Amino acid sequence: DGDLSPVFYDFDKADIRSDARATLTANGRKLLDVPNARIMIEGHCDERGTVEYNLALGDRRAMAAKNFLVNYGVPASRMDTISYGESRPFVDGQNESAWQQNRRAHFRVR
């Protein structure tokens, strides 16, 4: 299928973790197999931090994922980014388990 997997980030970080490299490589392979696909990369954060800070951090996370895919060979023109900060949690909860899942870049095929 054409589904792209999300990648996750450490607290207050936007750098690509080693586990995310494999996921992004698989996503890049899928994108290269479907040359007309366009995607939106959404940056997300957990609820800690100010709204403004989390919007900026979500943007850095989305851009880090996009830059990885550009370096992999996916044309930048096929990818847009947006940050939702903390406004669209993947899971509800105020604990590390929930926060880990909310610190992510999500890929939506357009």
Side-chain angles (χ1 to χ4, degrees), residues 8-27:
F8 299 93
Y9 295 87
D10 291 329
F11 175 69
D12 201 24
K13 299 271 193 269
D15 47 323
I16 303 298
R17 301 188 326 201
S18 57
D19 61 326
R21 283 188 173 82
T23 302
L24 285 168
T25 298
N27 286 351

Side-chain angles (χ1 to χ4, degrees), residues 17-106:
R17 301 188 326 201
S18 57
D19 61 326
R21 283 188 173 82
T23 302
L24 285 168
T25 298
N27 286 351
R29 197 173 309 117
K30 290 178 184 177
L31 287 166
L32 291 177
D33 286 345
V34 186
N36 59 345
R38 289 184 50 84
I39 63 167
M40 176 66 74
I41 305 172
E42 304 172 350
H44 297 272
C45 300
D46 65 36
E47 66 198 20
R48 297 172 292 176
T50 65
V51 170
E52 295 80 12
Y53 183 85
N54 283 338
L55 283 170
L57 180 58
D59 184 59
R60 290 195 305 276
R61 288 174 173 167
M63 287 303 299
K66 178 179 178 176
N67 289 338
F68 184 99
L69 291 170
V70 167
N71 288 333
Y72 187 76
V74 180
S77 60
R78 294 175 49 198
M79 299 179 283
D80 295 307
T81 61
I82 189 167
S83 175
Y84 289 112
E86 65 194 63
S87 68
R88 294 188 179 187
F90 190 59
V91 295
D92 291 323
Q94 295 184 315
N95 55 56
E96 187 55 37
S97 174
W99 291 329
Q100 282 178 3
Q101 295 179 72
N102 291 332
R103 296 189 302 255
R104 72 197 190 283
H106 181 83

